[in-house]
Amino acid sequence: MLNNPTINSTISLPKTEFDTLLAALRELGYQTIGPRVRDESIIYTHIEKLSDLPQGYTSKQGPATFRLVKSNHRRYFDVIPGAQSWKQFLFPPRTHLFTVEKVERWDIQPNAEKPPRYAFIGVRGCELAAIEIQDRAFLRADFHDPVYRARREGLFILAVNCLHPAGTCFCASMGTGPKVQGGYDLCLTELEDTFLIEIGSELGRDVISRCQYEPASGFLQSAAAKGLERAAGDMGRHLSLDDLPSLLTDNLELEHWDEVGKRCLSCANCTQVCPTCFCWDATDHTDLLAHSTRRERVWDSCFNPQYSYVFGGNTRPTIKSRYRQWLTHKLGAWKEQYDTFGCTGCGRCITWCPVGIDLTEEIAALRKEAQA
Amino acid sequence: MTALPHTAVNPDQLLYPYWAEITQIKPETEGVGSIWLRFEDPAIRESYRFLPGQFNMLYLPGYGEAAISISSDPQDTKGMVGHTIRFVGNVTKAISRLKAGDVIGLRGPFGSAWPMDEIEGRDVVIASGGIGLAPLRPAIYHILHNRQKYGKVLLIYGARTPKDLLYPYEYEQWRAGGIDVQITVDRADETWDGQVGVVPMLFYRFRLDHQKSVVLTCGPEIMIRFVIYEGLARRIPAERIYVSLERNMKCGQGSCGHCQIGPYFICKDGPVFRFDALEKFFNVEEY
Amino acid sequence: MAADPEVVSALKNIPWFAELKPEHFNRMAEAATMRHVRAGEELFKEGDKEDCFYVVIEGRVALDIFVPHRGKVRIYTAEPMDLIGWSVATPVVRHRTASATVVQAGRLVGFEAEKIRQMSEEDHDFGYIFMRRIANIIAGRLMVTRLQLLDMFAEPNAETRHAQ
Ligand SMILES: Cc1cc2nc3c(=O)[nH]c(=O)nc-3n(C[C@H](O)[C@H](O)[C@H](O)COP(=O)(O)OP(=O)(O)OC[C@H]3O[C@@H](n4cnc5c(N)ncnc54)[C@H](O)[C@@H]3O)c2cc1C
Ligand code: SF4
Ligand code: SF4
């Protein structure tokens, strides 16, 4: 055991010590959240100990396909996650904002609940990039979302390098993975018997110092590096960014938009699973006597017909126009708005689209038509 | 609770409204009325300022919010803000049932403004239709207060029928203040001796000096489109045509995503745009 | 026949006339007479067959169509420099399709359509310039009519409102 782990150094944490790490985080006041098997998929929820994690699983993913596979390996972080992302914790699907009571006049009570402090366990490169993309939307110089900010500021991130990408992954194309690009407190690479952990912050250093860790040998480090290199070549999909965003923003009237518009169901699955989609709506819930109104913020989607409704009609009445809005935003206008693409290459929208629409293929088809 | 100077926006609470009392509801035309609001908090009443073309989000608990342009005089607030509302749906119809003394929530002001400073020295053509005159009225007041700073000022305003014309009781004052006020209606009966036709048509009745003119326009999007055609046909460049657009919006702060057009959030980058910024997608159907 | 000097000076102020070749201008002026009109005066009625068109110099003229049970619907007003009764420029349309009533007193120049048609036939250069002017006016009226037809200020009906 070493005495003094330093920021940016790498240590080795025996798997048996992982529960100590989780306990240390809870001691510091964090709720520990991580992947768990439920209903033949992977969800993100509370975890207490290493054995809560999906040991021995991988996932088979393709357009409209997700299958959890139990194999004989003993690793915990090999399974590429399911539909859920960390978005649901920082930008909850439903948030109570305030309640208005009618006494004599309107009386308003902001939601006084203390924002939860989360420790995310197992954030992949694409997922961490997605959090940083949402930071740009919710934490701007001229506006910050108080709900998001409170959760984000209290966040602890234990990231994970991806060694076994799935069939719908293309983070290597987007430059967000498989190696985590920074922004974490701790970053883990899973080897057979141990976790290699890079320390990214003072907080991370503090947490590690509470565990029985070991030095990371050169052998272990080069094994991890090799694994990552292999993973980068193992991406199920590829997206060329050369002509983006202008390929989309300059070609709003290609025929292919009609074609994909015919396949898309406008079900909004893609926006719900996407870790960067940030659109929301506000709703009022009133008690029967209309004395008290609860105002909530809920997720919305550019695929919802109501989304672009204005008195007298809808600015995007067709499915084609909604799909076009979605894709030209993600890989087009987003770049101008936030100086980044709105896509990290996580592949969720491909896996969870009921009709298997694959944005990498749609982009390729649009490109072909635009170049014709 | 900290409020930014001059605004009724709470940076620490999402969608948090400031209460304002309705001091007056004034019926304007069939289905349209003006409401005057006075903040309950004296500090906000003092500090609240807005620019012509900006809007507020008005909130009625239980119904929700609606984006409504400010239609009153930016210079002469007396602690009150005026809005002219077309009562069309859930929120706006509920607002129409309120009376003086009732209280309503307000956040704002939001959005970009008419470029009143940049266009000093120019001939100004204000082309508007229907409720679209409401967001332009603060600009008209601004011009009246600073008439010598502008060249010729022509207001072309159209409505469906003579009964639908907004603010008819103010036209004479505007004319007296040096604005050429041209009114037209889509259709009328034989008792109407004013003009019948549409707003874009009035462009070719006037000689516009294309070197000097700017166009400010707001109204039904189809009208805006034709006004732009007429302006461009008269060689007024896109950089001197300003339009105010409407899209579904929930937050007014460029966060909820609803009001996007291309790279812009209409609520924060607009609603007033210089047309050259929009040219690329303005005519793309359903964009 | 010499042109009426009042007609000549009025037409000279209208850019389109001022740009005509002198020879064309003179012949048009010779086919024209000045009319001083009062508010309420009816220039022509739907169904009439008189064969002339007018250029408004001062005042305002309204075009109405009579609709049973609704009375007169005012569809257009002509302002100074505008032209009304243009359909007589073609050799086929003979009946007036709307009524024209003066709503603000003023002056109009009336042209004998038959003479202008003849001039156009004899001198196609003139005919082209004249028809080009008429085409411009028709295009403008068509734009106005289309926008009126769209009824852009109307309450949208339930169908379009809820069409997803
Ligand atoms: C920048 C801006 C300025 C505006 N200024 C005015 C004004 O000065 N006077 C005025 O009468 N109206 C104005 N409007 C339109 C006004 O916001 C809508 O008529 C109003 O939101 C309708 O709400 P509702 O609940 O009564 O209607 P509903 O039809 O019940 O609408 C339900 C929801 O749809 C959305 N919605 C419906 N119509 C519109 C619309 N036209 N624009 C944006 N969102 C819409 C809203 O989110 C609304 O909550 C403005 C709109 C914008 C964007
Ligand atoms: S667009 Fe699809 S692949 Fe890209 S981040 Fe969103 S869900 Fe993942
Ligand atoms: S692309 Fe697929 S997931 Fe997205 S709305 Fe269309 S059908 Fe649903």
Side-chain angles (χ1 to χ4, degrees), chain A residues 281 306-307 309-313, chain B residues 32-33 53-57 63-71 83-94 131 134-135 244-250 258-259 266-267 270-271, chain C residues 161:
Chain A
D281 194 0
Q306 285 296 315
Y307 179 88
Y309 168 77
V310 293
F311 169 65
Chain B
V32 177
Q54 289 192 297
F55 66 96
N56 288 319
M57 298 296 293
Y63 296 91
E65 282 188 324
I68 304 292
S69 305
I70 306 166
S71 66
H83 304 82
T84 305
I85 307 179
R86 193 173 174 204
F87 307 122
V88 294
N90 198 21
V91 178
T92 48
K93 282 196 171 137
I131 189 81
S244 178
L245 292 186
E246 215 183 90
R247 284 288 183 282
N248 186 310
M249 54 180 66
K250 302 294 177 184
H258 287 249
C259 67
I266 290 192
C267 68
Chain C
R161 267 195 81 168

Side-chain angles (χ1 to χ4, degrees), chain A residues 305 309 311-314 317 322, chain C residues 154-156 160-164:
Chain A
Y309 168 77
F311 169 65
N314 187 328
R322 293 178 212 149
Chain C
E155 296 279 317
T160 53
R161 267 195 81 168
H162 296 292
Q164 55 120 31

Side-chain angles (χ1 to χ4, degrees), chain A residues 105 140 284 307 309 318 324, chain B residues 40 62 248 253-254 257 285-286:
Chain A
R105 303 227 133 181
R140 303 193 319 253
D284 271 12
Y307 179 88
Y309 168 77
T318 59
R324 180 179 63 187
Chain B
E40 289 193 333
N248 186 310
Q253 296 167 290
E285 280 173 33
E286 304 181 350

